[in-house]
Amino acid sequence: MLRQGTFAILDFSEPIGEESVGGTRDYGHPGAPIVKGMVPADPARAFLTEPEQVAIVAGDGDGHGLDEAAVALGRAFYTFDVAGTPLRFLVMNTSSLTGSSQGLIRPVDLETVIGPKLDQALAEDKWVIVTSHHRSGSLGNGQEFGIGTKYEDALTTVQWQEFLGGYDNVILHLAAHTHRLMVEPLQPVGGHAYWEMVTPSLNDFPSQMRVLEVWDQDNGALSIQARAFDMITDDDPLAELGRTLAVADFTSGWENDGRGTGPDQRNVELWIAAPE
């Protein structure tokens, strides 16, 4: 949605030039080496706006859950259910499209998209896992270091947590952006308790993913089990190189420790009251 995750997509920054000043990867060669200087011009090379991305993904086979409503809206807000279970995922785009690496949620998003989708899930007895790039602590007002547009009505971390706390069918907010494994219990004042879980990029040391399982314990409680696991790199030189670079970044002090503050942030079993 943003150039380098920070800068807005603008007409004058369309990537259609013939010279790479800072370097670009040449995916036509093994390992995609970085090359500088002149590069072949490609008139089809361009950034895509959010509506364009949504339409392309939605039109490709399974569409990853994107539906006609998301295409009409032109924004990556959508839901999908886990077949045979009460689980529903609510996917949100929290990017500030005018710039800034921080997340942005505004009242208009709550009124027109997020609130109605959560209301519908509540009416249909669905247990909701909200997922977005930004966690609650990474929300901002749309402006950062002079980049972007400042929105006075942008939700704060506390306001967003209180909003989700108003839905007792929300069991987890699954997010990223912080580049480390994190788990935090949230108890909004006057609201419903839920969990927030953060997982880093595969580019970050220790190059791990999480697998999630939600168990109905049949005693009025749910348990959310999360385990961090490694990629298989056997006979895959590119995956092995990726892991090697991640280790090198960490040991050289270039990147932080993606494992988080301790084992209690990695392999966990989280308990929460089952929504009624």
Side-chain angles (χ1 to χ4, degrees), residues 14-19 39-47:
E14 291 282 89
I16 56 176
E18 297 180 340
E19 184 175 1
V39 295
D42 182 357
R45 186 189 299 133
F47 286 119

Side-chain angles (χ1 to χ4, degrees), residues 33-211:
I34 296 176
V35 298
K36 296 183 179 181
M38 299 300 293
V39 295
D42 182 357
R45 186 189 299 133
F47 286 119
L48 297 175
T49 64
E50 184 175 11
E52 291 171 333
Q53 291 187 50
V54 170
I56 289 173
V57 175
D60 182 34
D62 61 18
H64 296 280
L66 283 167
D67 55 17
E68 293 181 0
V71 175
L73 181 66
R75 300 208 63 194
F77 287 88
Y78 58 99
T79 62
F80 65 89
D81 295 342
V82 179
T85 79
L87 282 176
R88 174 170 294 176
F89 280 80
L90 168 58
V91 183
M92 307 188 310
N93 174 20
T94 50
S95 298
S96 178
L97 299 183
T98 59
S100 172
S101 68
Q102 295 180 325
L104 176 67
I105 301 176
R106 300 177 61 201
V108 64
D109 299 322
L110 303 185
E111 297 163 5
T112 61
V113 185
I114 302 173
K117 289 188 179 297
L118 288 178
D119 290 336
Q120 182 179 8
L122 194 62
E124 297 176 1
D125 295 324
K126 297 293 185 180
W127 306 342
V128 179
I129 295 178
V130 176
T131 182
S132 63
H133 178 80
H134 299 89
R135 69 184 185 95
S136 60
S138 299
L139 295 178
N141 61 13
Q143 192 171 68
E144 182 181 28
F145 306 119
I147 301 168
T149 301
K150 184 177 180 179
Y151 295 95
E152 298 293 345
D153 62 352
L155 267 66
T156 65
T157 294
V158 171
Q159 289 172 328
W160 170 243
Q161 292 174 355
E162 289 178 345
F163 176 80
L164 283 188
Y167 290 88
D168 61 8
N169 60 329
V170 172
I171 62 175
L172 177 70
H173 182 186
L174 185 63
H177 189 70
T178 309
H179 292 267
R180 61 190 173 114
L181 290 154
M182 294 175 57
V183 174
E184 184 178 3
L186 297 179
Q187 176 64 72
V189 176
H192 159 73
Y194 66 96
W195 291 94
E196 186 173 83
M197 181 181 295
V198 177
T199 301
S201 166
L202 289 176
N203 289 335
D204 301 318
F205 175 81
S207 300
Q208 290 183 328
M209 297 174 277
R210 287 194 204 257
V211 61

Side-chain angles (χ1 to χ4, degrees), residues 192-268:
H192 159 73
Y194 66 96
W195 291 94
E196 186 173 83
M197 181 181 295
V198 177
T199 301
S201 166
L202 289 176
N203 289 335
D204 301 318
F205 175 81
S207 300
Q208 290 183 328
M209 297 174 277
R210 287 194 204 257
V211 61
L212 298 182
E213 295 179 346
V214 179
W215 290 79
D216 185 350
Q217 298 294 343
D218 200 26
N219 61 0
L222 305 178
S223 66
I224 305 170
Q225 300 174 11
R227 298 175 181 85
F229 64 96
D230 297 318
M231 298 181 293
I232 296 175
T233 60
D234 298 344
D235 301 319
D236 190 335
L238 187 58
E240 184 59 44
L241 175 61
R243 176 178 287 174
T244 300
L245 293 175
V247 172
D249 280 348
F250 170 60
T251 56
S252 66
W254 182 257
E255 290 289 348
N256 295 323
D257 190 343
R259 294 173 295 182
T261 57
D264 59 333
Q265 304 295 303
R266 295 164 50 77
N267 301 325
V268 296

